[in-house]
Amino acid sequence: MSNNNNNSECKCSKCSSNSMGFVLVSTQTLRRHAQQDIVRQYQSGSSSSVVEVMSNDNDMEIDFENNVDTEDQVEDMHTEDLPFFDVDSLFDSESEDEGVIEATILDISDDESNDVRENFSSSNMPVDPTHAFIASFAAFFISKYVVNSGGVVLLKFLNEVLAHFGQSFRFPLSINGVNSMTGLSDVTRGVQRFIACGDCNKCTVIDPMHNLYLGTAKRIMEKWRSSGLITDAHSAEMQLDADKLVLPEDYTPLGTKIERGFPFMKADEWKSWCLVYSPVLLRGRLPEAHPGNWTTFVNAYQYLSMPSISMAHLDEAHQSLEAFCRECEKLYKAPFLSPNMHLHLHLRETVLNFGPVYGYWLSSFERCNGILKNYATNRKDGFEGTYMKKYLEEAFQGDLIRQTLPIIRPEHSAIILELTASTANSIATSTSTATSIQFDINAFLDSPEINFDIVKGNEPLPPSALPLALKGEISMDESEYGHLLEYYRETYDDQTLVHYRQAGHSDNFVNNRIQKFESIDLLGQIYKSKTKNQRGSFMQALFETSDGRSTKPYAGQIQYLFVNTAVNSFAGHASQHVFAYIRWYKEVLLQPRAGEGVEVNEVGFEDDSMNSILPVHRICYPVAVGEHLGLEGEVQMCVVPLPQKIYI
C-alpha cells in the first residue's frame, strides 16, 4: 500500500486487470470497490472469489484477513452441550479459566463484527439476483421497522405478491427463517447463549417484576403459542373457563385477553395469570412435561411475590427456580435460555442482600408514576416540589387521621372522613374497637396456623384494620345467633352462658346485638363481606381433622363481617369480639389436582354450625375459585390458595 497521496492500491476484479495488477485510488473508492466486488461475486454464486477479494493484502480497515480460525472457534462456542448451570466452567468469577472465557467471547465479538466473509458464505441466499434483493430488503426492513408478528404478516404479503407475478421463489414464514436465508442471523450468532456471570447479582439489583412477570412468564407463553402447544382453540376454551373464576380483591382480572392471545399484558396481569389463571386453565391443554415444569415456576413465583418471606420459603423458591431452569434445558432449545432466566438463580442472593422484593421492584415506582401524573400543578416552575408535597400529604394523611379522630367530637368525625375519603376509606366513625390492648405482631401471625385453637376473637387487631367501619347495631338472625351462643360456650368452656331471652334470669348471657362492616385490612390483605361480584369474600382457615392428629385447610365464603360485644365479664376485660360469618364448602376426599396447586370442593355448602363463627384472626389465605369438571362430568369447584400479604 502506498501512502504518498493518501491513496491505496485497489486490487478488485476491475482494478487488477491492468499490467500492474492494481490501481491507486482513494480510501473511500477502495472501500466502495471492495463492497461492489463482494456483491458481484456473491450474486454469481461464487464464494471462492469473494474470499479472494476479502483477503486483499492491504493493511487498511478493509483487510478482512484474520489470524484466528474463526470457523473452528464459533463451532466450539456453539456446541449445545454447554451447561446452563456449570458455575465452575462458565459462571464462576474465581475460575482459573475465566480469562480464557472472556478472551473467547471477545474474539467472537470481534470476528463477527469484522469477518463478513463468514457471514455471507454461510447464508442460503437465493441465486436469482432479484430474489436475493427482495430477501435482503425484507430482512433489513423487518429488522429495523417491524416488531414481532408484523414481520410474519409482511412475509405472507410478499409471498402473495411473488405468486401474483408468477415467481417460484417464496419466503419462509418466520423472521428467523428469513434471517437465516440472508445471513443476518449469523451476525448475532451466539449473542444470547453465553453469560460471563461472576457476581452479576451484586452489580445491580435484579427487578423481579421484569425478571419474572414481564420476562419468563411472558416468554414461556409466547413459546407455547408460537410452537402450537397452545392454539387459538385452546385460548377460546380457556377464556370460557376464565370467565367463571372469581379473583381476590387485589388481583387484576384479565377480561378477554386470554382469548385474544395475551395482548399488551402488564406486570400485574401476568401475576394474575401465573398465580390464579394458569393453574386452573392449563390442565389437559399441554403435553404432560410442560404444565409440571410450569407449576414448579409458579411455586417459586408465589413465595417471591410476598411482601415478606421466611428463609425456608426463600430456599424453596430458589430450588424451584433451579429445577425449572434445568427442565427448560430439556424441553426447549438453547436459544430459549436467555440471560434473564439465568438471573432467576440470583434472586435468592438479591433478597438476602436487599430484602423482600416489595422494597425495590419496579411495580411500586410505576404505581407512583400513575399517582404523580394525576396531581394538578400550576404548570409553572417548581412543580417537582408540588409533586413531593402532595405525595407526602397523601402518604401520611391516614396516620394523621387516626391520631386526630380520638381527640375530636364524634359528630365531627364524619366530616373529616368525608373530606379525606380518597385516602381514608378504611377509617370509620367508630374507634371503640379492640385497641386497648397493645398489638403483638408475632402473636397475630401465629393465630391462623399455630395458635388457631386458642384464638377467641377478642385479641388485638393490627393497626391496618382499625378503626373498623362499623354500621349501626342490629339484632342477629336467630338461627345464626344460636351458633354464636354455642361458639361462646365452647370457646370459653362455660355451659352456664344462656340465651339473651333468658337474660332476666341470669346475668351470664350472650348479647344478640351486632354491628356489621364491609371489609377488613389484615396487614395489607383485604377481606370483604359477600357482595354481588363476590370478590374478596373467599378464604381458607385451618381446622383440626376428626382424629385430632393433623390440621387441614378448609375453603369458605365470608357472608358478612361483624362485631359482637359481651355485656358481662365472661370474656374478661376485652369484651369486643370481631368475627366473620362463614359458610364452608363441602370437601372432596379424592383430590385429583393436588400436585397442581389446585384444590377441588363440592359446589354446595356444609350446614351452618358454630364453626361458621370464625375470628378474623384465624383467616389464613385468600383464594380464587372457579369451575372443575369431575370424572363423570359433574360440576365441582376448584380452589386456588394464594399467598397472604403481610406488610410489617
Side-chain angles (χ1 to χ4, degrees), residues 142 146-161 171-175:
I142 291 172
V146 183
V147 178
N148 299 332
S149 59
V152 178
V153 175
L154 177 61
L155 295 175
K156 290 180 179 179
F157 169 76
L158 292 175
N159 281 342
E160 290 295 325
V161 173
F171 284 103
L173 294 180
S174 71
I175 297 176

Side-chain angles (χ1 to χ4, degrees), residues 287-308:
E288 184 176 352
H290 293 273
N293 192 43
W294 176 253
T295 299
T296 304
F297 176 76
V298 172
N299 289 341
Y301 205 116
Q302 282 193 327
Y303 291 129
L304 292 171
S305 297
M306 299 171 65
S308 58

Side-chain angles (χ1 to χ4, degrees), residues 310-601:
S310 67
M311 287 301 301
H313 287 164
L314 181 59
D315 291 338
E316 186 174 343
H318 177 75
Q319 293 168 8
S320 295
L321 286 175
E322 185 173 352
F324 166 76
C325 291
R326 290 187 185 278
E327 187 64 20
C328 282
E329 279 192 296
K330 302 176 183 177
L331 295 175
Y332 314 108
K333 295 182 180 179
F336 183 79
L337 304 175
S338 66
N340 184 68
M341 294 181 68
H342 167 73
L343 292 178
H344 295 344
L345 308 181
H346 291 292
L347 283 173
R348 181 179 182 276
E349 287 84 352
T350 298
V351 174
L352 290 175
N353 290 335
F354 303 104
V357 301
Y358 269 62
Y360 47 84
W361 67 357
L362 292 184
S363 297
S364 303
F365 293 94
E366 295 193 4
R367 187 174 295 111
C368 284
N369 288 338
I371 296 173
L372 292 175
K373 72 178 183 180
N374 291 323
Y375 289 155
T377 68
N378 57 11
R379 299 183 181 275
K380 296 182 180 180
D381 292 342
F383 64 88
E384 297 92 344
T386 302
Y387 280 146
M388 182 56 67
K389 291 177 181 178
K390 185 68 174 177
Y391 181 78
L392 291 175
E393 287 173 1
E394 290 200 1
F396 294 100
Q397 194 174 76
D399 295 332
L400 181 61
I401 293 170
R402 289 189 178 92
Q403 295 178 8
T404 304
L405 290 181
I407 61 176
I408 65 175
R409 296 178 181 276
E411 59 268 25
H412 296 158
S413 298
I415 300 175
I416 295 294
L417 292 171
E418 182 179 359
L419 179 64
T420 59
S422 60
T423 56
N425 54 5
S426 63
I427 310 297
T429 57
S430 173
T431 59
S432 60
T433 49
T435 60
S436 57
I437 303 178
Q438 186 177 3
F439 174 70
D440 185 341
I441 181 67
N442 292 319
F444 182 80
L445 293 177
D446 289 343
S447 298
E449 300 185 63
I450 299 177
N451 298 328
F452 67 89
D453 55 338
I454 61 174
V455 172
K456 294 178 172 59
N458 61 349
E459 294 80 5
L461 289 170
S464 63
L466 301 173
L468 300 172
L470 301 179
K471 299 179 181 179
E473 272 196 349
I474 60 172
S475 296
M476 194 174 188
D477 179 87
E478 282 297 315
S479 62
E480 295 170 356
Y481 170 79
H483 304 314
L484 179 66
L485 175 60
E486 184 182 1
Y487 170 84
Y488 278 130
R489 286 174 175 173
E490 182 71 22
T491 301
Y492 288 99
D493 193 22
D494 188 352
Q495 297 301 316
T496 64
L497 290 173
V498 299
H499 197 281
Y500 72 93
R501 290 179 178 174
Q502 300 174 325
H505 304 285
S506 172
D507 291 334
N508 208 21
F509 69 94
V510 173
N511 182 22
N512 74 324
R513 303 290 286 176
I514 63 173
Q515 289 179 278
K516 293 183 178 181
F517 56 98
E518 295 295 334
S519 64
I520 187 168
D521 183 339
L522 300 178
L523 295 178
Q525 191 67 58
I526 297 176
Y527 298 94
K528 292 188 172 183
S529 301
K530 178 182 176 181
T531 57
K532 185 176 181 180
N533 67 13
Q534 304 188 85
R535 294 190 63 189
S537 63
F538 297 99
M539 41 68 68
Q540 274 189 337
L542 291 179
F543 287 91
E544 284 189 352
T545 56
S546 56
D547 57 11
R549 296 180 180 178
S550 60
T551 60
K552 181 180 178 180
Y554 287 83
Q557 185 179 33
I558 301 172
Q559 303 302 300
Y560 57 89
L561 298 159
F562 71 100
V563 166
N564 177 258
T565 303
V567 296
N568 45 48
S569 60
F570 74 85
H573 61 281
S575 61
Q576 193 173 71
H577 295 69
V578 185
F579 296 119
Y581 192 89
I582 310 290
R583 300 199 71 187
W584 301 101
Y585 287 98
K586 295 180 180 179
E587 63 175 324
V588 175
L589 296 179
L590 181 62
Q591 291 291 325
R593 307 183 64 171
E596 305 169 23
V598 178
E599 300 174 10
V600 177
N601 289 75

